[in-house]
Amino acid sequence: QHGVRVRVRAEEDTPPLAPAAEASLFRIAQEALTNALRHGRARSVEVVYTVAPSSASPDRVHLEVRDDGAGLPDGLDLSTLAARGHFGLAGMRERAALLGGTLTVTGEGLCRTGGSLERPDGAADRGAAVHAGVPWATVALGAPSGGGA
């Protein structure tokens, strides 16, 4: 619809997540994609889902969304964004925290991380990356809390 190339990478045979945790991680990815399109004007986005150290011995779940867009404004501050009515980044951070994890947002998207997607027009945009890392014990199917949606 927007002419954006999206690549999704995930390990095969990843263990199942609790439904509420799955929904929370999906919403984080959805908001990150929305931001890449709306604010970053990205042309390429990569979504990477991994379980570390391995699917056979999970310890942590990682979700990363990287783009080749305009990057982040200098001095990005969540409280300033919230005061202006922009709650997307704060909401993603809150969802990760409810799962016992963390969320980081950097101006190092596909252009700086050597991602496999390259911007076709050769633009010098920085891109952005959103990374959520959550403990496996809080998101696994059958986990005591299963995370919040």
Side-chain angles (χ1 to χ4, degrees):
Q1 175 183 356
H2 295 282
V4 175
R5 207 167 48 154
V6 178
R7 178 177 177 187
V8 178
R9 292 189 304 144
E11 299 170 359
E12 291 186 30
D13 302 323
T14 55
L17 299 176
E22 192 174 85
S24 290
L25 289 170
F26 174 79
R27 294 293 180 211
I28 290 170
Q30 183 180 42
E31 181 65 26
L33 283 165
T34 298
N35 286 346
L37 298 175
R38 181 178 297 151
H39 303 296
R41 298 172 312 280
R43 296 209 181 158
S44 296
V45 180
E46 186 171 51
V47 180
V48 181
Y49 174 81
T50 56
V51 178
S54 71
S55 293
S57 178
D59 180 51
R60 209 154 170 82
V61 172
H62 298 277
L63 173 68
E64 187 165 35
V65 180
R66 298 185 298 233
D67 68 66
D68 68 350
L72 302 172
D74 293 332
L76 179 72
D77 179 88
L78 290 182
S79 58
T80 302
L81 289 172
R84 294 179 182 165
H86 300 283
F87 300 101
L89 291 175
M92 288 190 289
R93 182 166 285 162
E94 185 175 302
R95 285 182 191 277
L98 288 171
L99 296 173
T102 59
L103 184 118
T104 57
V105 181
T106 65
E108 298 177 357
L110 290 171
C111 300
R112 288 196 186 161
T113 60
S116 55
L117 299 177
E118 299 296 327
R119 186 150 179 164
D121 63 2
D125 290 340
R126 303 180 297 202
V130 173
H131 176 265
V134 298
W136 176 254
T138 65
V139 297
L141 187 62
S145 68

